[in-house]
Amino acid sequence: MRSYSAKILTGQPLRLAITIAGISLCIVMMLFLLAAYHGVANGSVEYIRKNRSDLWVLSSNAWNILRGTSILFTEDTYDIENIPGVESVSSVLFLLTGIKKGDQQATVYLTGFDPEAESGGPPRIVEGRSVENDQEIVLDGAFASKFHLSVGEVIKVRDTELKIVGLSGGTNALVIQYAFVTLHRAHLIVGYPGIATCFLVNAEPGADLDAIADEIKFELNGVAVYDHETFLKNNIQELQTGFLPFIYTIAAIGVVVLTTILSLLLSVNILEKRKDFAVFKTLGSPRGFVSGMIISQSIMISLAGCLAGVILYFPLVNFIERVTPEISTKTSFLQIISVVAVVLIMSVVSSLISMQRLRRIYALEAFS
Amino acid sequence: MRITSHQKNYVQLEGVNKTFIDGDREFHAIKNVSLKASPGELLVLLGPSGSGKTTLLTLIAGLLSPTSGSLSLFGRSVEGYSNKELQLLRARRIGFIFQDFLLIDSLHVIENIAMVLRFSGMKRSDALTAAGKLLDQFNIGHLARKLPSKLSQGEKQRVAVARAIANNPELIIADEPTASLETSQGFDIIKLLHNYAVEEERCVIVATHDLRIADLADRVMRVVDGEIQEECSGPIAEINQLIVVGS
Ligand SMILES: Nc1ncnc2c1ncn2[C@@H]1O[C@H](COP(=O)(O)OP(=O)(O)OP(=O)(O)O)[C@@H](O)[C@H]1O
Ligand SMILES: [Mg+2]
């Protein structure tokens, strides 16, 4: 009796439209949260992912570069270079630092790296070029567009003027954006030459990484050494502990709102048609018949909501990203499928909730 | 008029009582009712409003269970039927006509009929074909694609009868089927039901407070305050006598 379910729904077009709109907004919200989270996750660890190094060396109190203070001495890189099997070592210094342009000021996650080395720089250049000397800076693209900065302009860090020579991508971590200068410039800014946050070590092909790691730990006191995969995982984990509870909470609220809206509509529809249901019962409808009808109504609405939500989502996200460039989202087919799956599951839950109404509709009501 | 007492009974009530408990108030709606109904007859339960006719019908349909007494349907005690069996019984062996007909407003006429065929286990496509044929038999094939709200009372009445007999049930239970009809239409529906009872050897039980239609009954039982007060079979003279008693 799919036609019956559909007709009950379309019999109240306004109510149906409001419900579908509500559900689709919940879906947009869930999709957006997921996409924003993936955007942040991507922007936070893309630097590590792209700067693929065989080994990452940090002070032993830190296991990631997102949250943790690690201080190393660049002179130690000579010891590492001398370890058999090591091909290259480069130092990177991260500083949370303010930059100014006129009377505007903002904070960046400033990355000092050696432009001569093969790793440590921006994961991706979206405009202009990378840093070549101490008077240059590369800014994250979203950061630049938020503060209306473009390639060729000059900004100030402390009292030093730096020219923007390029914009980078994959460097937007929502709460902070990366910027890139030479290691030497970073040393000048912080006022302590010779320090680094981490070393990026690359080995010769076929070298025994474990042996090199052991040797590094033996030569340098108080450092931790991670292979690339472990280090990437550490950073993702750090990000998740910070963000996921927040994302889950909002998503859970979305799911509850969605289920409530849906159950409300279904229950109202059931109560409004209670005489019909009493007649079905009297006429000997099989056990699953009426329940099946409620479930199919629920799924029909949910699918319509999903469709509306997905259609609404892309233009909306485009708009949001244009208005607030620091929000960068990453939507995948898998995310959409997951949200649709959650919505369908919740639609079945909603029908089970509203079916409680049915129990109190008696066949006898057909006779009153 | 046919006397059918020699045939097996589809419905048999023996000393049935029904008490409704509403909070701490008890209401004795059916008092010590015994009755039988057999194939080939149209039985009318005649009584004023509140006398217990509907209660009696719902007991007979297995929708309510008696507080005491014995009630058997198709030769078997109702207590012996499981819920599933009662559901199948209502789907296949009992047809219903309600006051105001209670057609499903959101479904087309043909789907209203097909619905009961589906309840009895027929496939959707077969049910629609059979429903179409039935509508043609009732000369209302042209209404198939209409919604009940667009029908006249007389048309609704025909659809309601078609729905009740769609599964060719052995027993039809009709509660005030003429209440919303003009006199002539009221007669029409009772005639239809009577023909069905006689020609198909089926049993029809009609509850009504409408004296006029008792004319067409094979048997009339008068229900007053939950009790069967009188029973008479057939001829108009006796019915008239009832009218005198009733007034
Ligand atoms: N579920 C119930 N709880 C309490 N009392 C009930 C219940 N159902 C019926 N009654 C009472 O039982 C009596 C008989 O009701 P019933 O509906 O069978 O009468 P009726 O003859 O069909 O009347 P009408 O001609 O108005 O349809 C009425 O007084 C009614 O109030
Ligand atoms: Mg009644």
Side-chain angles (χ1 to χ4, degrees):
Chain A
M1 285 283 143
R2 221 169 312 123
S3 56
Y4 176 79
S5 312
K7 279 170 190 163
I8 284 189
L9 292 179
T10 50
Q12 294 283 348
L14 181 66
R15 188 190 297 167
L16 180 66
I18 292 174
T19 311
I20 291 178
I23 290 171
S24 64
L25 287 179
C26 289
I27 289 166
V28 166
M29 187 184 84
M30 289 194 276
L31 279 175
F32 179 72
L33 276 175
L34 268 181
Y37 169 69
H38 281 273
V40 172
N42 184 58
S44 306
V45 300
E46 191 66 3
Y47 174 80
I48 298 161
R49 198 174 275 138
K50 282 284 160 61
N51 279 299
R52 211 191 151 80
S53 305
D54 291 326
L55 296 171
W56 293 76
V57 181
L58 290 90
S59 331
S60 58
N61 62 304
W63 51 84
N64 68 86
I65 58 165
L66 299 178
R67 294 197 293 190
T69 303
S70 161
I71 295 177
L72 303 173
F73 298 99
T74 48
E75 59 189 29
D76 288 341
T77 54
Y78 301 116
D79 290 336
I80 300 177
E81 265 168 2
N82 289 331
I83 295 171
V86 171
E87 192 181 75
S88 65
V89 185
S90 65
S91 307
V92 172
L93 175 62
F94 292 107
L95 299 171
L96 276 168
T97 203
I99 66 170
K100 284 184 188 162
K101 158 101 191 179
D103 45 9
Q104 279 195 102
Q105 56 180 28
T107 305
V108 292
Y109 196 47
L110 193 68
T111 311
F113 72 104
D114 176 6
E116 310 274 288
E118 52 191 81
S119 47
R124 192 153 41 91
I125 291 289
V126 292
E127 197 189 323
R129 58 169 175 78
S130 188
V131 172
E132 283 169 4
N133 62 52
D134 297 347
Q135 274 65 50
E136 297 175 347
I137 189 167
V138 164
L139 295 178
D140 169 67
F143 179 89
S145 82
K146 184 181 173 194
F147 291 99
H148 308 290
L149 297 170
S150 45
V151 173
E153 286 185 67
V154 172
I155 52 98
K156 267 188 178 173
V157 178
R158 283 191 151 191
D159 287 325
T160 314
E161 294 196 328
L162 297 173
K163 187 176 172 199
I164 304 169
V165 292
L167 304 179
S168 63
T171 45
N172 176 6
L174 184 68
V175 285
I176 194 82
Q177 287 80 32
Y178 289 74
F180 299 87
V181 293
T182 60
L183 182 62
H184 184 235
R185 172 55 61 198
H187 283 150
L188 294 175
I189 291 169
V190 77
Y192 285 97
I195 61 166
T197 305
C198 56
F199 299 147
L200 283 63
V201 179
N202 277 306
E204 285 162 0
D208 180 352
L209 291 180
D210 287 341
I212 295 176
D214 287 343
E215 191 59 27
I216 294 173
K217 279 186 270 188
F218 178 76
E219 294 273 341
L220 278 53
N221 248 339
V223 299
V225 183
Y226 300 99
D227 64 67
H228 186 76
E229 295 313 320
T230 311
F231 192 61
L232 186 61
K233 215 171 67 197
N234 286 353
N235 281 277
I236 291 174
Q237 219 167 44
E238 194 61 32
L239 181 83
Q240 288 177 340
T241 48
F243 264 102
L244 281 187
F246 167 74
I247 301 278
Y248 283 152
T249 307
I250 300 185
I253 293 172
V255 168
V256 170
V257 170
L258 182 141
T259 313
T260 312
I261 296 177
L262 202 51
S263 310
L264 189 71
L265 173 92
L266 294 171
S267 303
V268 169
N269 277 353
I270 290 173
L271 289 182
E272 219 169 52
K273 297 282 171 188
R274 66 184 301 151
K275 201 89 174 186
D276 282 2
F277 290 108
V279 171
F280 292 145
K281 283 190 178 179
T282 303
L283 297 184
S285 62
R287 218 159 159 256
F289 171 80
V290 172
S291 333
M293 233 157 42
I294 310 290
I295 293 178
S296 75
Q297 274 187 45
S298 185
I299 288 179
M300 278 190 259
I301 303 172
S302 307
L303 285 179
C306 285
L307 192 69
V310 171
I311 291 173
L312 208 66
Y313 173 73
F314 290 101
L316 202 71
V317 162
N318 254 332
F319 176 74
I320 292 174
E321 284 187 328
R322 202 151 354 113
V323 178
T324 45
E326 69 271 31
I327 295 181
S328 68
T329 60
K330 229 182 152 209
T331 312
S332 69
F333 189 61
L334 185 70
Q335 289 165 21
I336 297 179
I337 293 291
S338 326
V339 168
V340 169
V342 167
V343 171
L344 288 184
I345 292 170
M346 292 328 285
S347 75
V348 174
V349 172
S350 307
S351 28
L352 294 178
I353 293 172
S354 34
M355 264 178 226
Q356 303 309 312
R357 299 259 158 268
L358 286 175
R359 289 214 206 144
R360 268 168 281 139
I361 297 180
Y362 303 102
L364 278 181
E365 292 177 33
F367 293 89
S368 53
Chain B
M1 302 288 153
R2 296 143 55 97
I3 303 299
T4 50
S5 55
H6 62 281
Q7 283 165 316
K8 65 175 176 167
N9 298 310
Y10 278 172
V11 179
Q12 183 158 9
L13 279 73
E14 211 72 65
V16 165
N17 288 284
K18 179 71 195 175
T19 305
F20 290 114
I21 297 168
D22 197 359
D24 43 40
R25 283 190 316 132
E26 284 193 3
F27 185 78
H28 202 167
I30 297 296
K31 300 166 189 156
N32 195 28
V33 166
S34 300
L35 69 81
K36 289 174 183 162
S38 319
E41 70 168 346
L42 185 140
L43 168 66
V44 165
L45 301 174
L46 181 67
S49 185
S51 57
K53 306 179 295 293
T54 298
T55 308
L56 211 44
L57 287 186
T58 49
L59 281 165
I60 291 169
L63 292 167
L64 271 184
S65 39
T67 311
S68 65
S70 80
L71 196 168
S72 62
L73 260 179
F74 305 111
R76 195 171 143 198
S77 166
V78 167
E79 286 162 28
Y81 288 105
S82 66
N83 279 342
K84 172 84 187 157
E85 284 172 323
L86 281 175
Q87 173 243 312
L88 282 176
L89 210 65
R90 291 199 301 275
R92 295 176 180 168
R93 300 180 74 179
I94 307 179
F96 290 90
I97 300 176
F98 306 99
Q99 185 173 352
D100 301 328
F101 310 125
L102 299 189
L103 301 173
I104 304 299
D105 267 332
S106 5
L107 292 180
H108 288 137
V109 163
I110 191 162
E111 291 168 318
N112 264 279
I113 313 279
M115 183 177 75
V116 292
L117 294 166
R118 300 254 285 138
F119 290 170
S120 73
M122 209 183 265
K123 277 199 310 205
R124 184 178 152 82
S125 54
D126 295 346
L128 283 170
T129 314
K133 277 189 196 151
L134 194 65
L135 289 174
D136 287 338
Q137 276 172 34
F138 274 77
N139 293 324
I140 46 172
H142 58 288
L143 301 180
R145 291 281 153 205
K146 285 200 169 177
L147 291 176
S149 54
K150 301 276 183 296
L151 304 185
S152 71
Q153 285 301 317
E155 288 168 335
K156 280 188 193 170
Q157 159 217 309
R158 291 187 156 257
V159 177
V161 175
R163 181 173 73 178
I165 70 171
N167 281 312
N168 198 11
E170 287 130 293
L171 174 64
I172 288 186
I173 287 176
D175 194 15
E176 307 277 8
T178 61
S180 52
L181 298 175
E182 289 165 20
T183 308
S184 66
Q185 289 174 326
F187 275 122
D188 286 346
I189 193 170
I190 301 299
K191 268 185 225 152
L192 271 172
L193 292 174
H194 190 248
N195 282 346
Y196 180 73
V198 174
E199 283 164 19
E200 309 275 330
E201 274 289 296
R202 302 303 194 199
C203 173
V204 178
I205 303 179
V206 178
T208 184
H209 59 261
D210 187 350
L211 282 166
R212 297 163 301 178
I213 65 159
D215 251 354
L216 295 163
D218 295 309
R219 274 194 304 144
V220 177
M221 293 185 127
R222 189 170 165 79
V223 187
V224 177
D225 288 340
E227 287 176 289
I228 301 281
Q229 289 217 327
E230 272 146 291
E231 173 171 354
C232 72
S233 11
I236 294 166
E238 277 133 310
I239 307 291
N240 284 341
Q241 197 188 331
L242 271 175
I243 296 172
V244 177
V245 173
S247 53

